[in-house]
Structures are given as structure tokens and as C-alpha cells.
Amino acid sequence: MNEPVPPLPALLADLAGPRERIIDEHMYRLPPQASRRGTFRLQLFTAPGLRAVAIATQKPSAGEGASLTNAAETYAATVWQQYFPDDPEPPIWIAHMIIDDQRDLTVVTFTADPAKHTLRAPQWRRISPASVDALVGRPVDLKRGSGFTPSEIEPDPESTYVARWVMVLPRPAPFRKDGCMTAGVPWWRRLGRQLVPRRGGRDCCWYHGGDWHIVSKLAIRLAAQAKAAGVSFEDTPSYVLDHPDSQGLTEWEREALFSLMVDTIRPAAPWPRREGYNNGQHRAQALLDAGVRRILIEHLAE
């Protein structure tokens, strides 16, 4: 006896219907002029009178470039522009990440600009495979696809720690949005926080939980000392964290220092192109909110 199909999420209940698969491209790539690089399996389902459905499946661990999470707006907007330029709405975007044989299946909604075919402010909601089938009115193959070609492993580019002005960091777009972690910081607020910085911490989230001014100054100073002493990039975190000047930090300050040295802040594009983050945008948001002047980031050699 077949198990009952779980109901569709409310936001999709009125959008379900039988569709035909018109595209199944196992190694979809963004066009050369796009600002991001990445690959994924793209399946498109359409039917007259129904909104198109796009299902993107990716294995981030196989070197597929920008993830479906970090590049959600770019990926979805590009598919909208390329395949449905006359549609006033983007296709319903289903992001399917396969990580260590585990599924991360979500429906992603955006704020759309139909005139420019651009998207912003993504919101993720988990969805079951059965709900995906119900949405398109047919069974959907959620494998990565037989045409998947893992990228050849390339030597990692050399990294170094550099201090950058926080004022000109890329605009953050934190995934967790609430009263404490709003999206982005306009230029006038950035300037205001530089003139009247916030010190200490707030209890609304970990990112705002301590004084980034103290941590940032210490990280920049000790990383510079390590470089002058000939310490490699790989050994710099141990040098900084074991340094006597790091021993008197509070628990939060030590965690924050560890994050700067190990879980580094990495803007997505080489300086000075300020286009998003590969990592660290929640901390960047907190740094901008606090009015920190400079911060240590990881920079990849050209």
C-alpha cells in the first residue's frame, strides 16, 4: 500500500499541476559574462497556464563552484533571463544540494524586479521529494545525473592575511534575518558608525555578542608580526592564538579571534570588485554595525 503524499507547503499549493520536462542539462553553466562561476544539473518543467519550475541539483563537494545557496539570486535570475525572458515572474526555484549523500532540498523565494529580470532577498524553505513530485505533477529524478563530470582538482591558490577597510566591504546579505541581523548596511549608516562606533556587545546573536574592535586590532597586529617573522599562512592561526597577548581574552573574544584566523572572511571577488562573500558575511554585518575600522580577511593571490 502506498504511503500518503504529504501536503504541499502553503506557498506552493495553488501552483501545482502536471508539467512536462523541457530541459534536462546535467552540466549547466552560467554564461561567460556572469560574475559567478558554477555548475549544476538544471531541469525545467512547464505547462500552459502554469508557472515554470526550475530544479537545480548540485554536489558542492565535487568542486562545482559557487553553491546554490551563496549564488541563489545569480543562478535563478540567469535561468529566468535565458529561458523565460517574457515571463513576468521567475520560475519556481527548487535548490537541491547533495552533501555526503544527504539531501538539502529547499524552495527558494525572492523579491523580483520584472523590468530588469533580477532577484534579491532569497528565503529558503525545506521541501520533501514527494512535494516536488506533487508540484510538477510527475516523478522527478533528484540524482545529480549521469552527465555529471566532477571538476579536476586544481592546486589551491596561495592565501595570505590582509587588513582591509571595513567601510568598503561588500554589502552583506545574511541568511538569518531578524531585528539583529538585517540585510546590508547603507553607506550613510556605514559612515555614521565610523564616526560614532559601537563598542561592547549585544545579546541578540553571537555575531553581535562582543567587541570586534578589540579582536580586530589584535588579529591585524599579530598576523603582521607572524608575517614579519616568516610564519606561513597555515601556521599563522597557531601563532596568533598561542601568542601571550591572546591569552587574556574573554571566551567570546577568543572565539571571534579564532573565526578570523581559521573560518576566514572571504569576499567573493578580488579586491577592489565588491561582489558578495564566499564566507563571513554575518561577521561583516556585525563589523559594519559596530563601526570597526579595519578587519583581517583572507586574500587569494592572483
Side-chain angles (χ1 to χ4, degrees), residues 4-19:
V5 175
L8 277 170
L11 78 163
L12 299 178
D14 295 332
L15 302 175
R19 295 168 170 85

Side-chain angles (χ1 to χ4, degrees), residues 179-194:
C180 187
M181 187 64 68
T182 56
V185 181
W187 68 266
W188 52 268
R189 185 177 297 168
R190 295 186 184 212
L191 179 59
R193 284 288 170 238
Q194 292 289 309

Side-chain angles (χ1 to χ4, degrees), residues 239-277:
Y239 176 96
V240 171
L241 294 166
D242 294 340
H243 195 279
D245 291 354
S246 300
Q247 304 313 305
L249 298 175
T250 66
E251 180 180 355
W252 183 93
E253 290 167 351
R254 188 162 180 83
E255 289 179 358
L257 181 63
F258 178 89
S259 78
L260 292 181
M261 307 309 303
V262 178
D263 188 24
T264 53
I265 295 176
R266 299 189 300 276
W271 192 265
R273 291 175 59 203
R274 299 181 291 276
E275 299 179 7
Y277 294 83

Side-chain angles (χ1 to χ4, degrees), residues 114-168:
K116 299 180 180 179
H117 279 64
T118 57
L119 302 170
R120 61 181 179 82
Q123 298 284 338
W124 289 263
R125 293 176 177 83
R126 292 193 179 277
I127 188 173
S128 69
S131 291
V132 175
D133 292 349
L135 174 65
V136 300
R138 56 180 292 163
V140 176
D141 181 4
L142 291 177
K143 299 183 180 65
R144 181 54 185 82
S146 59
F148 171 49
T149 304
S151 300
E152 294 184 4
I153 298 176
E154 299 179 357
D156 291 334
E158 294 185 5
S159 294
T160 185
Y161 293 103
V162 296
R164 294 300 190 202
W165 295 105
V166 173
M167 180 76 173
V168 293

